[in-house]
Amino acid sequence: MAFNNRYDFVLLFDVKDGNPNGDPDAGNLPRVDAETGRGLVTDVSLKRKIRNFVGLVKGEQPPYEIYIKEKAVLNNQNKRAYIGINKAELLEGDNKKRKGGDAVDEARQWMCQNFYDVRTFGAVMSTGINCGQVRGPVQMTFARSVDPVVPQEHAITRMAVATEAEAEKQLGDNRTMGRKFTVPYGLYVAHGFVSSFLAKQTGFDENDLGLLWQSLIQMFDHDRSAARGEMATRGLYVFKHDSELGNAPAYRLFERIRPGLKDGAVVPRSFEDYQVNVNEDNMPSGVTLEIKA
Amino acid sequence: MKTYCLEVSGDFACFTRPEMKVERVSYDVMTPSSARAVFESILWKPAIRWYIEKIEVLKPIRWITVRRNEVGAVISMRNALEAMNKGTGCLGLNIEDERQQRAGLFLRDVVYRIHAYFELLPDAGQNNSIGKFLDMFERRAEKGQCINQPYLGCREFVCDFRLVNMDTKQIDREKLSTFEKMDLGFENQRDLGWMLYDMDYCDTADPKPKFFRAKLENGVLHVPSWNSEEVRG
């Protein structure tokens, strides 16, 4: 079912003794805004987790296939049946396919139907014509931590070496040193937007929206690794507009969700040190706040 | 022609220079084409066209560099058609094989006031009056309504927008430092070099870029009119 509402959402998540998003420019240190000391998590990092979650729970089957995969998910090389439509003749002779015509539209629609990430975030498809793009309804921003974070470096040792040569060099001592980086604690805020106009273009429907909320709530539970530490969604505040265009500016709504340190807390080390003030007074008419997590 | 002013602000922005788009580097200020896209995300119909008059830069120009893992491939239409047709096939793209790490030099903490107006196109049709669109735009912009959340160059850099009342549009720039004022072209006009104006979509199959010599004068980027001699392809 298509929906006729605009949605703006605030996602709160935290990390404890982990690296939520490494910076390849800084030797994989957690991303930090150098001017404010606040931690950053890129939009693409969060979208990656949504893709992985959906791939996991839906078993990579249409209509919930994931186009942009990580190796771990890709390794099932089984061929599966698609709900194909017969357009073989358009592939023959190179004039027709370059011009595209209705086959391009059809292929684009077909990709949207089968692939959750294509119809959610959009994708670029190569065609001879210029507008081979799908713009997805879901738009996400960089997440920032509420307070400055202090990335810490930890030296770690491994009681083995990788090669014979190294073992010989160490006379059998066989030890290597490594480094890992963590943030002791950080509470991050990301903003997101869902446009029903674009949703209609890609066929992103109410079920897909439900899956998006579910993935935002649960994605960190299925993304455990040595680097991440403990990450969890701490809040998902969804502003639902009665209309497609929306009933209030997004920034006026986001201002209503204010996470801050509790009185007396100086150095945040857990979610307990924070208090999330949610202002539901005088909500603009036509906007409802749904607290999903 | 009624001119509207929107104040847009965001944490980050990237108005990518076309000559440096592998590792993205932003222009110093917003381009007219991305300013147009902000207006279009609030109201656009095939019957109208937005023109940008000027862009006021309200905050000092500051930068941040971010490196991200990106994918260097696009979905192959041919493979999609083939899988569609055969009913079987392996689509999907392995990000580890198509990995590209790209740095971006983005603007941070930006606020602009964009001044723009729209015109009805000659083939607008009988029932498209200009008044109708004026009302629509005002209503939407005042309420914060939009088709999709407008953004500053890239979709991840969304912006807030508010309609600025033209009577109360004094901007306080007293807090800027001498250096920041120089950066924004106070006292001496600052030449930003050739900047992308917009794409010329006359030939939709092959849009062509148009450029103009951008100059910051007292914090304002004046945009020449689309048809003027200053705009070159």
Side-chain angles (χ1 to χ4, degrees):
Chain A
M1 270 278 285
F3 54 91
N4 294 311
N5 311 87
R6 185 178 112 185
Y7 293 90
D8 302 314
F9 61 91
V10 178
L11 173 72
L12 289 188
F13 62 92
D14 67 352
V15 58
K16 196 177 145 202
D17 293 324
N19 185 355
N21 186 200
D23 184 352
D25 251 354
N28 209 35
L29 268 158
R31 290 182 192 275
V32 172
D33 177 337
E35 283 181 44
T36 60
R38 293 188 182 188
L40 292 174
V41 172
T42 59
D43 59 310
V44 282
S45 164
L46 296 170
K47 291 200 276 194
R48 170 83 266 143
K49 293 191 197 335
I50 295 172
R51 287 187 162 103
N52 288 356
F53 178 82
V54 173
L56 194 71
V57 296
K58 295 292 182 184
E60 290 277 315
Q61 292 300 317
Y64 297 105
E65 276 192 82
I66 295 298
Y67 192 80
I68 311 286
K69 298 165 199 272
E70 261 184 316
K71 208 160 229 156
V73 196
L74 183 77
N75 280 342
N76 54 13
Q77 287 292 339
N78 58 328
K79 306 233 167 188
R80 63 182 92 73
Y82 292 94
I83 325 122
I85 48 167
N86 205 11
K87 280 285 164 200
E89 70 282 359
L90 283 160
L91 279 174
E92 285 153 20
D94 36 22
N95 279 340
K96 280 182 180 169
K97 76 162 187 289
R98 278 285 152 218
K99 286 198 185 102
D102 51 329
V104 170
D105 280 342
E106 221 165 321
R108 208 180 286 141
Q109 281 307 320
W110 182 83
M111 290 296 287
C112 287
Q113 274 164 28
N114 282 271
F115 289 89
Y116 182 80
D117 57 340
V118 174
R119 68 174 177 274
T120 304
F121 303 125
V124 182
M125 302 215 225
S126 72
T127 53
I129 56 169
N130 179 268
C131 47
Q133 282 194 18
V134 179
R135 211 149 55 117
V138 178
Q139 202 176 348
M140 292 187 73
T141 65
F142 279 27
R144 275 166 181 265
S145 66
V146 176
D147 289 295
V149 293
V150 187
Q152 295 189 330
E153 180 180 351
H154 310 273
I156 50 174
T157 56
R158 180 172 70 166
M159 297 307 178
V161 289
T163 61
E164 291 268 334
E166 207 176 336
E168 275 169 33
K169 216 157 86 187
Q170 291 201 18
L171 302 171
D173 203 21
N174 292 9
R175 272 208 259 190
T176 42
M177 301 282 286
R179 297 187 304 167
K180 70 187 284 179
F181 301 101
T182 64
V183 168
Y185 184 79
L187 179 66
Y188 291 75
V189 184
H191 293 163
F193 309 86
V194 184
S195 158
S196 68
F197 296 98
L198 299 179
K200 280 175 187 152
Q201 286 173 21
T202 68
F204 181 88
D205 63 13
E206 249 170 12
N207 291 335
D208 292 329
L209 190 67
L211 186 57
L212 176 74
W213 303 140
Q214 193 197 349
S215 60
L216 287 169
I217 295 164
Q218 299 184 337
M219 59 188 184
F220 297 113
D221 296 336
H222 302 277
D223 185 60
R224 303 281 179 220
S225 78
R228 296 278 172 262
E230 290 171 55
M231 292 184 75
T233 295
R234 293 297 189 165
L236 177 59
Y237 303 87
V238 179
F239 294 96
K240 180 180 181 179
H241 299 252
D242 272 354
S243 66
E244 288 204 271
L245 284 165
N247 298 61
Y251 69 93
R252 303 290 308 171
L253 301 175
F254 292 154
E255 280 168 3
R256 294 172 170 269
I257 312 295
R258 286 206 182 279
L261 281 176
K262 279 184 186 162
D263 286 344
V266 185
V267 183
R269 282 296 178 263
S270 79
F271 190 61
E272 301 294 294
D273 294 329
Y274 279 97
Q275 186 175 334
V276 183
N277 292 314
V278 180
N279 177 6
E280 288 187 80
D281 302 339
N282 305 319
M283 284 287 281
S285 69
V287 180
T288 42
L289 172 61
E290 296 175 0
I291 300 176
K292 306 246 181 213
Chain B
M1 203 65 263
K2 186 157 184 186
T3 306
Y4 289 106
C5 174
L6 277 185
E7 186 172 305
V8 296
S9 56
D11 289 343
F12 305 101
C14 181
F15 311 108
T16 311
R17 290 171 181 269
E19 71 273 26
M20 286 185 275
K21 61 202 288 186
V22 174
E23 301 231 306
R24 296 183 194 90
V25 176
S26 176
Y27 279 115
D28 294 54
V29 298
M30 186 177 220
T31 59
S33 70
S34 52
R36 171 181 57 82
V38 169
F39 280 88
E40 285 178 351
S41 70
I42 298 167
L43 175 75
W44 181 78
K45 298 275 167 176
I48 64 168
R49 182 165 168 185
W50 282 101
Y51 295 94
I52 305 298
E53 254 181 2
K54 60 177 178 177
I55 299 169
E56 294 177 86
V57 188
L58 272 61
K59 286 223 176 159
I61 298 169
R62 291 158 71 208
W63 301 89
I64 185 171
T65 160
V66 178
R67 184 179 289 269
R68 292 179 287 185
N69 289 327
E70 300 186 14
V71 166
V74 292
I75 294 180
S76 157
M77 192 65 79
R78 179 188 270 268
N79 292 349
L81 281 168
E82 207 174 281
M84 223 164 99
N85 177 45
K86 276 194 195 153
T88 68
C90 237
L91 292 172
L93 194 131
N94 192 344
I95 51 164
E96 266 86 13
D97 296 340
E98 302 284 349
R99 170 74 82 229
Q100 291 183 349
Q101 282 196 343
R102 292 188 185 185
L105 188 57
F106 305 144
L107 296 168
R108 53 173 302 158
D109 202 12
V110 299
V111 183
Y112 301 109
R113 282 189 177 178
I114 356 178
H115 299 252
Y117 62 94
F118 66 85
E119 275 178 5
L120 275 185
L121 293 178
D123 53 354
Q126 298 268 307
N127 43 10
N128 284 321
S129 74
I130 194 112
K132 175 176 106 178
F133 292 124
L134 288 171
D135 287 349
M136 258 169 132
F137 179 78
E138 276 169 42
R139 205 167 52 229
R140 289 185 185 183
E142 265 166 17
K143 281 197 197 162
Q145 297 184 319
C146 53
I147 299 294
N148 59 277
Q149 192 68 25
Y151 49 87
L152 302 168
C154 301
R155 283 194 83 195
E156 59 269 37
F157 306 135
V158 297
C159 60
D160 299 336
F161 64 94
R162 58 199 86 187
L163 191 64
V164 178
N165 186 336
M166 299 301 261
D167 308 325
T168 57
K169 62 183 179 72
Q170 288 305 313
I171 306 161
D172 178 26
R173 297 188 212 249
E174 288 307 303
K175 286 184 196 128
L176 294 178
S177 70
T178 320
F179 178 76
E180 287 165 348
K181 278 189 172 168
M182 220 166 72
D183 225 21
L184 294 180
F186 282 88
E187 284 158 45
N188 287 314
Q189 185 187 62
R190 182 164 165 234
D191 190 347
L192 297 174
W194 288 95
M195 182 192 242
L196 179 75
Y197 190 115
D198 208 330
M199 302 297 285
D200 182 357
Y201 291 100
C202 286
D203 177 6
T204 45
D206 183 22
K208 300 220 169 25
K210 294 263 191 189
F211 295 87
F212 74 111
R213 194 74 186 245
K215 295 178 192 91
L216 265 180
E217 201 172 354
N218 297 325
V220 182
L221 174 74
H222 291 278
V223 181
S225 80
W226 177 246
N227 296 318
S228 66
E229 267 188 16
E230 292 166 67
V231 180
R232 311 213 185 137

